[in-house]
């Protein structure tokens, strides 16, 4: 009855994943660091490479009208529904070789393993390589995953890249059709679920000494531009007590942001600052800075924002400067499906690792996919939490751990699926 | 015996000064805001205009080998020494029309008044229009005044402007000779003193509701670049407690600078800041900011610096960032001559205004001239303390006040000069 070993050896498959991440990195618009943007020739080449690996793993492949690369490991049951794994194949400029990519390459090697061991599933197991998640080419993120949720907007046709090429034009050059974009939607298919494997992009798993973790949800972010207007003046001639220094006011506010966020358990970052006139001997008269604030719990984030609006307003008043807030981005938190979280955590412990659940502070394709089916995420440790940088690094042992977890997940999901659908499979079962 | 009225009417002369500041503003490299740099055609035209006004006031004129414009209101005593008034004729880009200029145009109109009233002095009264104080063309300040102190350095020949033109070349185009620069030195002449009239460039006189004030000294400034290195990271994925955010560290330091400076009575300014990578969703990993710190009392400034070095070091340690200091500028304070201060203050009260003494936080030509003779300064109120900006503004009534003060000064200085030199003048005396 058992055609897979009790403790399957994934070390060879882990090496395969590791090497394939390197191989895919050859398709870069830049020689220094990764740069692979949506609908570029490099994207096309990367899709082709991924499709070859999918085919070798026994999958059928296709590219949808949004340029997403798909592969399907077909179920023995012809009318089975599909469970999807995957992530994005684009990178930021000067990026790394694992962000997104790992979540495509890793499940392909899992399916290679299933195929090598002639494992059949009662559901189709699909893998998708989303063409755009980072949004670096057209300034709008999650284009790939939003296409499969059927939520592309007509006006996106006119979004242009830095060279003035529109999405419509770029799609056409890629062999796709903007007018046919609804064909990419998987809404009608009633997908069973979506599991995204992704590097953590943070230092928490490393600090916990764990290779992998279950994601509880994806934080909702709001972003603001704050503008402070004080009075510029000569650095030597205006007494300290007669100043309305916009940069000192900003400095006090930046500290308040840190204090309040830390105390109330959200993450808040002032990442960008512009100071005017920005001269060594002139008191700053005008400062603009950004605020990025995130929480898994939207209401908590918004409570912190209310407090910050009040306290920063008091700082401005005290310092005789004006303060102006402008919201530039708002997205609500997306919770991972509790059942999928539970399966991922059990898959982790069954692979011999401590269960550990953490939120994702970064946005992911799973956020978009949550609109059409339950989503789950598995985080893989990355060195020092570094991402969006050539120094992005993942250990092959952690890849092996993630493969074991995904393999367990596929088995556990099958059990759940069979219980829920009360079907039994004639082909070899998957119980270890 | 009295050929001047008891309360001379300077209103017409004040209008002349006011209008001449406007007239001189026509010689600008830019149509928007003033921009008149050293040894440019505009500098040459401005010199020519000033020389015409000097000539009209009965002065003999010349340009020295550094391009400074001079005029001399000759004493009846042929071998008399010279007392000098003046300031600089160059401006910063996007500057105002009074900074420097007022200190040239105003004493010319005083001499016009003396000449109109046939007043003779026992000393030569000279006016100088320094070609460079701001240092915007060649990156080195006080070039004009340093030439007359004989302190030009041989290596300055090679200093180049933004177009790659060297000082040597620019001097030659102006009709001067770098090799003859020592001819510009007035060291051998044993000048009696130098009085610079200048807009305050600060808000203190305005706050005191006074048109003019006596300057006690020019603050010594030190400047630094401070570099903080923390750890960049993803704004969503790194928990607040695991961050080494360079910008929050800088923010705390900027506040400490303000606190310590205010408490200990110096002025300190963080005017310039650069943040890396400066992206809305990235925790800042590297921040560089400038510190400009000034005091009339060098030892006080240096005490504050010692404290800051200690406290900012503690902030860096607490926040697990590195902090690196680099000094970029150091100048000691220059005290105004006590006798000249006394004369200026008495001239103010004799003109009917409250005596008020304040330090200059900004650098001035008088700093350089202090190397070769006693120096004094008279500050004139300017609107909101704004300078180095097209909004620079001076009231004609304040110009009139300054003219009265300078006229008193010339009389009082004559008395002092005659007492010290035990000479009496055959020509009409100047006692009011």
């Amino acid at each position: 009855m058992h055609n897979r070993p009790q403790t399957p050896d994934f070390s060879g498959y882990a090496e395969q994943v590791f090497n394939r991440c390197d191989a895919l990195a050859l398709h870069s618009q830049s020689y220094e660091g990764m740069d692979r943007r949506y609908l570029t020739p490099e994207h096309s080449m990367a899709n082709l490479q991924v499709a070859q690996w999918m085919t070798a793993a026994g999958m059928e492949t296709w590219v949808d009208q949004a340029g997403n690369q798909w592969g399907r490991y077909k179920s023995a049951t012809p009318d089975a529904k599909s469970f999807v794994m995957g992530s994005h194949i684009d990178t930021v400029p000067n990026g790394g070789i694992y962000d997104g990519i790992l979540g495509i390459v890793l499940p392909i090697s899992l399916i290679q393993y299933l195929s090598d061991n002639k494992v059949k599933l009662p559901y189709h197991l699909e893998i998708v390589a989303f063409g755009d998640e980072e949004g670096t080419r057209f300034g709008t993120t999650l284009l790939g995953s939003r296409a499969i949720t059927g939520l592309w907007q007509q006006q996106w046709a006119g979004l242009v890249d830095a060279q003035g090429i529109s999405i419509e034009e770029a799609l056409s050059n890629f062999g796709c059709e903007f007018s046919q974009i609804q064909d990419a939607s998987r809404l009608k298919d009633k997908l069973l679920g979506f599991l995204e494997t992704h590097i953590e992009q943070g230092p928490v798993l490393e600090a916990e000494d764990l290779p992998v973790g279950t994601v509880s949800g994806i934080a909702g972010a709001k972003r603001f531009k704050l503008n402070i207007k004080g009075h510029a003046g000569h650095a030597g001639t205006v007494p300290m007590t007669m100043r309305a220094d916009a940069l000192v006011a900003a400095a006090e506010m930046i500290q308040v942001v840190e204090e309040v966020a830390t105390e109330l358990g959200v993450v808040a970052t002032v990442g960008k600052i512009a100071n005017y006139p920005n001269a060594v001997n002139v008191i700053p008269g005008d400062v603009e800075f950004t605020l990025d604030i995130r929480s898994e719990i939207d209401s908590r984030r918004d409570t912190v924002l209310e407090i910050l609006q009040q306290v920063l307003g008091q700082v401005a008043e005290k310092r005789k400067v004006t303060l102006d807030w402008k919201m530039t981005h708002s997205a609500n938190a997306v919770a991972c499906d509790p059942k999928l979280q539970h399966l991922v955590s059990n898959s982790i412990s069954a692979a011999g690792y401590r269960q550990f659940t953490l939120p994702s502070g970064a946005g992911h394709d799973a956020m978009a996919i949550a609109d059409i089916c339950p989503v789950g995420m598995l985080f893989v440790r990355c060195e020092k939490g570094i991402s969006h940088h050539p120094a992005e690094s993942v250990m092959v042992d952690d890849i092996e751990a993630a493969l074991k977890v995904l393999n367990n997940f596929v088995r556990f999901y099958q059990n759940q699926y069979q219980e829920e659908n009360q079907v039994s499979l004639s082909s070899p079962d998957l119980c270890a």
Side-chain angles (χ1 to χ4, degrees), chain A:
Chain A
M1 289 290 283
H2 298 95
N3 70 332
R4 280 194 291 178
Q6 288 286 331
T7 52
D9 179 7
F10 282 98
S11 60
Y13 297 97
E15 289 287 347
Q16 183 180 64
V17 170
F18 195 75
N19 293 333
R20 284 178 172 180
C21 288
D22 280 338
L24 214 54
L26 298 173
H27 306 297
S28 173
Q29 296 169 240
S30 163
Y31 289 112
E32 297 157 10
M34 281 306 299
D35 187 0
R36 186 168 56 232
R37 306 191 204 181
Y38 186 38
L39 303 176
T40 56
E42 290 74 20
H43 175 195
S44 182
M45 291 299 291
N47 271 1
L48 208 61
Q49 176 62 81
V50 163
Q52 284 174 355
W53 294 331
M54 286 171 165
T55 304
M59 305 174 82
E60 61 180 33
T61 67
W62 70 98
V63 175
D64 70 19
Q65 289 295 344
N68 299 316
Q69 176 67 52
W70 289 87
R72 178 180 291 150
Y73 186 63
K74 287 181 82 173
S75 169
T77 314
D79 60 347
K81 288 186 182 166
S82 294
F83 190 94
V84 182
M85 294 183 177
S87 190
H88 60 96
I89 202 161
D90 66 322
T91 78
V92 294
N94 200 39
I97 70 170
Y98 299 105
D99 179 351
I101 286 90
L102 186 69
I104 300 162
V105 172
L106 200 141
I108 293 176
S109 288
L110 172 74
I111 291 179
Q112 182 70 58
Y113 166 82
L114 298 179
S115 173
D116 290 348
N117 291 278
K118 301 186 172 43
V119 178
K120 285 291 170 189
L121 300 173
Y123 51 88
H124 301 313
L125 183 54
E126 298 185 6
I127 296 178
V128 60
F130 294 116
D132 174 89
E133 186 261 3
E134 304 286 4
T136 35
R137 181 164 182 191
F138 295 105
T140 296
T141 59
L142 300 170
L143 288 170
S145 44
R146 285 191 188 157
I148 83 157
T149 66
L151 290 179
W152 266 42
Q153 296 168 29
Q154 187 56 40
Q155 72 256 33
W156 290 356
L159 289 178
V160 292
D161 68 7
Q163 278 72 47
I165 299 167
S166 70
I167 288 195
E168 188 164 20
E169 212 177 332
L171 276 173
S172 169
N173 294 341
F174 204 79
C176 302
E177 280 293 332
F178 187 87
S179 62
Q180 305 298 312
I181 196 73
Q182 284 304 326
D183 288 355
S185 169
R186 297 296 302 273
L187 186 57
K188 62 189 176 308
D189 298 331
K190 301 195 190 314
L191 298 173
L192 293 166
F194 175 74
L195 181 67
E196 182 169 9
T197 303
H198 204 283
I199 58 169
E200 182 201 336
Q201 302 182 265
V204 177
L205 289 174
E206 192 174 70
E208 294 283 339
D209 196 22
L210 288 173
V212 291
T214 307
V215 177
S216 52
I218 301 167
K222 283 188 175 174
R223 289 183 185 160
F224 300 84
K225 271 189 186 165
L226 285 84
N227 184 269
I228 300 172
K229 289 206 193 308
H231 294 294
H234 192 295
T237 60
V238 186
M240 298 304 287
T241 52
M242 294 178 74
R243 297 181 174 201
D245 185 322
L247 184 59
V248 188
E252 186 169 348
M253 293 179 193
I254 290 168
Q255 280 206 270
V256 169
V257 166
E258 183 196 47
E259 270 170 40
V260 175
T262 306
E263 196 175 325
L264 298 181
V266 305
V267 289
T269 307
V270 175
K272 198 171 176 180
I273 189 165
N275 177 52
Y276 304 96
N278 210 38
V280 61
N281 60 343
V282 183
I283 298 163
D286 195 333
V287 169
E288 186 164 89
F289 64 91
T290 59
L291 172 64
D292 175 301
I293 181 163
R294 308 186 193 205
S295 171
E296 242 193 308
I297 304 158
D298 292 333
S299 61
R300 181 183 295 174
R301 174 199 65 194
D302 292 341
T303 301
V304 171
L305 275 170
E306 274 172 38
I307 294 169
L308 286 179
Q309 268 155 355
Q310 193 185 338
V311 181
L312 301 194
Q314 289 163 354
V315 170
E317 200 174 341
K318 180 186 73 177
R319 291 190 167 274
K320 298 186 175 60
V321 297
T322 63
L323 173 64
D324 184 57
W325 290 68
K326 187 177 159 197
M327 187 155 77
T328 56
H329 173 81
S330 176
N332 284 340
V334 171
C336 287
D337 177 67
K339 278 188 188 170
L340 290 180
Q341 278 190 60
H342 186 70
L343 282 188
V344 171
S345 293
N346 285 350
S347 302
I348 289 172
S349 51
Y353 305 104
R354 175 163 59 89
Q355 289 189 5
F356 183 77
T357 298
L358 72 170
S360 172
H364 293 290
D365 289 304
M367 287 169 77
I369 306 303
D371 280 339
I372 58 166
C373 70
V375 300
M377 285 194 76
L378 176 70
F379 268 173
V380 179
R381 167 169 57 188
C382 60
E383 192 182 343
K384 290 179 188 161
I386 294 168
S387 73
H388 286 193
H389 191 276
E392 205 172 84
S393 178
V394 171
M395 286 188 290
V396 72
D397 284 355
D398 292 354
I399 293 173
E400 189 176 343
L403 278 168
K404 288 180 190 169
V405 172
L406 283 194
N407 183 52
N408 290 341
F409 178 86
V410 165
R411 287 191 295 134
F412 295 165
Y413 188 78
Q414 173 172 8
N415 295 342
Q416 180 188 301
Y417 178 82
Q418 285 169 334
E419 277 167 29
E420 285 178 358
N421 293 271
Q422 299 187 319
V423 294
S424 78
L425 205 61
S426 55
S427 57
D429 81 39
L430 293 164
C431 301

